């Protein structure tokens, strides 16, 4: 299927610029996430509540056989299975595939870009994995990844983007600054591609507040704002948002994500 959007915009070039700006562009993403499992978000109280909220959005619209693409440690797959869905996992990492198999999942140990799609699934789910699944040893093949999504798209599908922090700029325009790789700039082209290729996704937003503990202002800037210039305005805003609980330094974070879903009528 040809798309005027994909013909006009070099998505691979856009994606490559983003990937090289990120912290994991020098390695194969499978290797990166095996060596840095924290990149998948550690499981704490906030993460449990977050995943429960994601599952509550996905599970009513999912049907039949579900394929969790880039399932990682299986946190969403387990949640969907506990809600009565039949879930299989597409996971290229031998380490994570072993964990998933030990947990009783049917696992296809392949990359999304290599999967031959001989199995029939009714629902595809990408949880924080849509962009990473298009990565291949320092290169992003986003154009191919989106075309494969359309080619193999079953009755239903969900793309859950990684959560990012929303900060209201104290300036006059009250504009939004998104921490974490500057608002994940590939989200917008991906959305346009969905519309151009005929999926017409429904767009939903999920927002939750997290109270995160830090050792100092510097610790906060290095953890959450490493891709943003540490100017005085940012420092002043972050400093103002801290409060103390005993000896702990706490800062509330407004985390949000975008969830795209589609269905074929």
């Amino acid at each position: 299927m040809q798309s005027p959007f994909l013909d006009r915009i070099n998505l691979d070039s856009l994606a490559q610029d983003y990937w090289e700006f990120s912290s994991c562009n020098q390695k194969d993403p499978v290797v990166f996430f095996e060596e840095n499992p924290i990149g998948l978000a550690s499981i704490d109280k906030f993460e449990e509540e977050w995943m429960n909220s994601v599952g509550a959005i996905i599970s009513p619209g999912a049907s039949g056989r579900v394929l969790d693409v880039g399932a990682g440690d299986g946190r969403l797959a387990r949640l969907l299975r506990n809600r009565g869905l039949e879930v299989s996992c597409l996971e290229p990492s031998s380490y994570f595939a072993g964990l998933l198999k030990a947990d009783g999942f049917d696992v296809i140990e392949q990359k999304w870009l290599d999967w031959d799609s001989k199995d029939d699934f009714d629902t595809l789910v990408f949880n924080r994995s849509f962009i990473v699944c298009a990565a291949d040893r320092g290169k992003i093949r986003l154009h191919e990844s989106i075309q494969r999504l359309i080619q193999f798209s079953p009755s239903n599908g969900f793309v859950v983007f990684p959560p990012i922090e929303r900060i209201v700029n104290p300036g006059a325009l009250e504009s939004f600054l998104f921490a974490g790789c500057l608002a994940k700039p590939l989200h917008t082209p991906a959305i346009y591609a969905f519309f151009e290729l005929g999926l017409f996704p429904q767009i939903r937003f999920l927002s939750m507040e997290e109270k995160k503990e830090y050792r100092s202002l510097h610790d906060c800037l290095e953890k959450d704002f490493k891709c943003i210039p540490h100017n005085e305005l940012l420092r002043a805003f972050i400093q103002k948002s801290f409060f103390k609980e005993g000896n702990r330094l706490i800062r509330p974070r407004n985390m949000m994500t975008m969830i795209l879903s589609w269905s074929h009528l």
Side-chain angles (χ1 to χ4, degrees), residues 26-247:
Q26 298 301 319
K27 290 185 177 181
D28 181 277
V30 175
V31 175
F32 177 84
F33 283 112
E34 285 182 343
E35 295 178 352
N36 302 272
I38 192 65
L40 297 174
S42 57
I43 300 178
D44 54 18
K45 182 178 180 181
F46 174 81
E47 176 66 7
E48 289 181 358
E49 293 178 354
W50 181 270
M51 293 308 303
N52 283 333
S53 298
V54 170
I57 292 175
I58 291 178
S59 55
S63 62
R65 299 184 67 206
V66 178
L67 182 65
D68 186 354
V69 182
D73 61 7
R75 63 188 62 182
L76 180 61
R78 284 190 296 274
L79 193 151
L80 295 178
R81 183 174 63 182
N82 291 340
R83 289 175 173 264
L85 294 168
E86 180 185 353
V87 184
S88 298
C89 300
L90 181 69
E91 175 54 52
S93 163
S94 296
Y95 172 72
F96 287 120
L99 296 180
L100 293 166
K101 290 176 183 177
D103 205 8
F105 286 104
D106 174 45
V107 180
I108 304 169
E109 196 172 330
Q110 282 185 297
K111 291 184 177 181
W112 163 248
L113 291 172
D114 298 331
W115 179 46
D116 57 17
S117 187
K118 290 180 180 178
D119 295 318
D120 291 327
F121 291 94
D122 302 289
T123 303
L124 288 183
V125 177
F126 292 79
N127 179 43
R128 298 170 174 165
S129 63
F130 184 62
I131 301 303
V132 175
C133 283
D136 184 20
R137 293 196 175 276
K139 297 293 183 181
I140 290 285
R141 294 156 59 187
L142 185 61
H143 183 283
E144 179 181 346
S145 181
I146 292 176
Q147 292 286 14
R148 287 175 62 84
L149 177 64
I150 305 306
Q151 178 184 354
F152 301 140
S153 179
S155 301
N156 305 288
F158 297 86
V159 172
V160 182
F161 288 98
I164 54 179
E165 180 179 355
R166 183 177 67 179
I167 300 175
V168 179
N169 189 329
L173 296 179
E174 289 292 319
S175 60
F176 291 104
L177 168 68
F178 292 89
C181 291
L182 300 182
K184 309 291 183 184
L186 290 182
H187 293 188
T188 300
I191 294 172
Y192 282 127
F194 274 89
F195 279 105
E196 286 282 353
L197 293 172
L199 285 183
F200 304 104
Q202 179 180 0
I203 302 173
R204 309 183 197 183
F205 292 93
L206 171 63
S207 179
M208 291 177 59
E209 184 174 274
E210 174 188 23
K211 292 182 179 179
K212 192 170 182 180
E213 182 177 352
Y214 303 90
R215 296 190 302 271
S216 62
L217 172 61
H218 178 76
D219 179 42
C220 172
L221 292 171
E222 288 301 310
K223 286 181 177 178
D224 297 339
F225 301 93
K226 60 184 177 181
C227 295
I228 298 177
H230 297 172
N231 57 39
E232 291 305 314
L233 178 62
L234 177 64
R235 289 176 179 274
F237 180 80
I238 300 302
Q239 183 71 62
K240 186 178 179 181
S241 65
F242 281 118
F243 67 90
K244 284 191 173 183
E245 287 185 354
N247 295 323

